[in-house]
Amino acid sequence: MSQAVVEARGLTWIPDGARAPVLAGVDLRVEPGDRVLLVGPSGSGKSTLLRAIAGVLHVGVGGEQLGELLVGGRPAAETAVNVGLLLQDPRNARVAETVGRDVAFGCENVAMPRPAIATAVADALAAVRFPYGVGHDSSALSGGEAQRLALAGVIAARPDVLLLDEPTSMLDPESAAAVREAVLAAVRGTDCALIVVEHRLHGWADVLDRVVVLGPQGSVVADGATGPTLAAQADELAEAGVWVPGRPDPRPLPVPAWLVAGDTARGAPGDPLVEASRLSVTHRPALRFTGARRPTEPPRAALADVDATALAGRVLALRGPSGAGKSSLVSALCGLVRPSAGRVEACESLRAGLPAQPHRWRSRQLAARVGWVPQNATASVVGATVRDCLLATVRALRDPRRPPGALSASDAERADSLAELLGLAPLLERNPYRLSGGESRRLAVACGLLHGPSLVCLDEPTVGQDRRTWAAVAGLVLAARAGGAGVVVSTHDDALAALADDSLQLAAGRVVA
């Protein structure tokens, strides 16, 4: 038997304040050249295991680690093996102002010869089909573009162990296929050990020869050849939440409309709530104050001459490839982006006497009417605990005559019911920054819906969800619609888009269908 590059024996991790371990007695052996698909329900410890292998489990996080984890024959935090980790939130990987410097960072840290770095950067960006040059502002990217940039930075450094946490979760199918090919090309003919975490197994199950399944309690419940293991345990894995290829999509959970229905004014079903007419949005590079350097990139048109309408009691799905302008349109419709040209106007039933343009409303006025679920789920974190985050908007909008912190019985009941529905009830006292990516996104959905807004704008709400939690999120979308809210959802998720009443297809910032 060859020397294992990764070996875990009884690995257990208990975060500070947690009632139960995230990882529980994990035994795992990965040899050079292994191609491993790591799967399991949301919150089963997949991302935690990758962080442990990368030697960064304790970075910014307190907890107790038991058992043993060796990488290259040494404790993970002390290994000399070159380990590349793609984080679940690609924006957390950004370290530099420009694309080229960002991708070069990993190469520099492994002491790659300087003449080779430029070639490695160019090759990596080409492999992931990154759409911009090396001088592009690395902060001015869509979620999918940021995901591809982060992957380029990881593969450019040519690691011995490549750890990818949901590398295609924010990508359209064509871009996802290109990323898979880029990953396989990066490890082809090498002894690099590859471990990929994904919820959606389609595409990966055919090219990775081994699958390791973590159960809900954070222990290994299956480990074997990909095809036979998925075939033999398809029912059990689907029941646990794994998106087993070939299985029909789950049905949305039936969710009562009162759970997300508030007291704000709503139009009659089918009435317009907010309309965009010939809308254009231009993103300008941020001015860097270090050295008073001016941006070198020209302004970028995110949207051009777009017409869109959100209707009460209907779901509008925004579709299109990564970088098409979906997030910009969501942000403009919910008043977070000022149009560069054209207009966005709320109808009287929504604005109730306020100015017609939502971007002119004060934050409290906007929050009372609009629920926003951002693509970056941690943007919803505004409290010390999950419970604080969940109730933040309700408390901010409460009757000023009530005591500080006071909640109505219905508010408290709906908060508890939402947390239970989304699998967040055991986490209500947890630090919200310690959640998994899927848990963070479900918390963002709950935060955007609990106060019962008339307009709900969701940006990729089902990313990182297993079959069961997807059903809960999809059920909430339909419940908001049933309660009379207008719902706008940006998504690459075909199953979610199939539930919509209307759709717009975007490409390069324009409506194409």
Side-chain angles (χ1 to χ4, degrees):
M1 183 179 294
S2 63
Q3 169 85 33
V5 68
V6 176
E7 188 161 15
R9 305 189 192 102
L11 178 64
T12 298
W13 172 251
I14 309 171
D16 287 343
R19 298 176 182 177
V22 174
L23 296 174
V26 171
D27 293 325
L28 179 68
R29 181 183 176 90
V30 179
E31 299 186 4
D34 279 359
R35 310 289 186 251
V36 180
L37 181 59
L38 179 61
V39 304
S42 178
S44 60
K46 302 180 298 296
S47 298
T48 301
L49 181 54
L50 292 195
R51 289 175 61 87
I53 295 171
V56 296
L57 185 56
H58 293 273
V59 175
V61 179
E64 182 180 12
Q65 180 177 331
L66 305 173
E68 187 175 34
L69 176 61
L70 302 178
V71 178
R74 297 171 60 89
E78 303 172 11
T79 185
V81 171
N82 180 5
V83 180
L85 170 63
L86 175 67
L87 298 167
Q88 195 171 52
D89 185 345
R91 291 179 176 85
N92 290 338
R94 187 167 66 87
V95 296
E97 295 179 355
T98 64
V99 164
R101 295 291 305 131
D102 208 278
V103 178
F105 182 77
C107 301
E108 294 165 348
N109 275 271
V110 298
M112 184 179 290
R114 183 174 294 275
I117 292 180
T119 300
V121 169
D123 289 347
L125 290 172
V128 302
R129 298 189 185 181
F130 193 73
Y132 309 118
V134 293
H136 188 80
D137 186 342
S138 57
S139 66
L141 301 174
S142 71
E145 291 164 350
Q147 199 164 35
R148 281 185 276 175
L149 175 63
L151 177 60
V154 172
I155 65 176
R158 299 166 189 165
D160 302 305
V161 180
L162 181 55
L163 309 172
L164 306 180
D165 199 349
E166 300 197 52
T168 60
S169 60
M170 296 184 183
L171 302 179
D172 60 273
E174 182 179 350
S175 298
V179 162
R180 283 193 295 271
E181 178 52 39
V183 170
L184 297 175
V187 301
R188 190 175 293 127
T190 74
D191 286 334
C192 176
L194 172 65
I195 304 178
V196 178
V197 167
E198 274 290 6
H199 279 287
R200 305 287 181 131
L201 308 191
H202 177 73
W204 290 107
D206 298 331
V207 296
L208 300 180
D209 49 30
R210 176 183 170 195
V211 63
V212 175
V213 184
L214 295 181
Q217 309 307 317
S219 58
V220 176
V221 297
D223 184 350
T226 304
T229 301
L230 293 180
Q233 302 190 39
D235 291 340
E236 296 92 330
L237 295 177
E239 180 63 26
V242 177
W243 292 87
V244 180
R247 289 291 168 127
D249 293 327
R251 294 181 178 180
L253 288 180
V255 177
W258 68 267
L259 197 56
V260 292
D263 300 325
T264 55
R266 301 191 176 200
D271 283 355
L273 290 177
V274 63
E275 294 181 295
S277 177
R278 304 203 67 180
L279 170 67
S280 294
V281 173
T282 299
H283 294 315
R284 300 182 182 278
L287 180 63
R288 308 295 183 186
F289 289 98
T290 52
R293 184 165 61 84
R294 293 184 178 276
T296 58
E297 291 266 323
R300 179 173 63 89
L303 295 171
D305 292 326
V306 169
D307 294 336
T309 304
L311 303 175
R314 294 181 70 85
V315 177
L316 170 65
L318 306 181
R319 311 299 309 280
S322 303
K326 302 184 299 297
S327 296
S328 295
L329 182 52
V330 168
S331 298
L333 289 174
C334 66
L336 297 176
V337 170
R338 180 175 182 171
S340 303
R343 61 182 178 85
V344 174
E345 292 188 354
C347 300
E348 180 58 35
S349 61
L350 180 64
R351 71 177 190 255
L354 294 178
Q357 302 88 355
H359 72 268
R360 295 178 57 195
W361 299 349
R362 296 183 180 275
S363 59
R364 184 185 178 91
Q365 296 167 335
L366 195 63
R369 293 161 174 78
V370 179
W372 178 54
V373 178
Q375 191 175 84
N376 177 13
T378 56
S380 297
V381 175
V382 291
T385 68
V386 170
R387 186 187 299 276
D388 289 340
C389 292
L390 183 58
L391 294 170
T393 302
V394 171
R395 284 177 169 146
L397 298 175
R398 69 179 183 272
D399 188 334
R401 294 169 294 182
R402 288 159 55 189
L407 296 172
S408 69
S410 61
D411 288 336
E413 181 184 4
R414 288 190 297 119
D416 288 343
S417 297
L418 261 183
E420 186 68 36
L421 176 76
L422 293 170
L424 300 174
L427 309 174
L428 285 172
E429 305 310 320
R430 179 84 62 88
N431 183 328
Y433 289 105
R434 306 288 169 82
L435 302 182
S436 73
E439 291 164 347
S440 293
R441 198 162 297 272
R442 296 198 300 279
L443 174 59
V445 171
C447 292
L449 293 177
L450 179 62
H451 63 292
S454 297
L455 176 66
V456 178
C457 296
L458 308 101
D459 199 348
E460 300 283 5
T462 57
V463 166
Q465 303 308 313
D466 61 36
R467 292 174 61 91
R468 294 177 304 174
T469 57
W470 181 95
V473 171
L476 283 171
V477 170
L478 297 185
R481 179 183 70 180
V487 181
V488 180
V489 56
S490 163
T491 185
H492 292 300
D493 183 345
D494 291 341
L496 183 64
L499 303 176
D501 305 289
D502 311 295
S503 66
L504 284 180
Q505 184 78 19
L506 297 174
R510 295 180 179 272
V511 175
V512 295

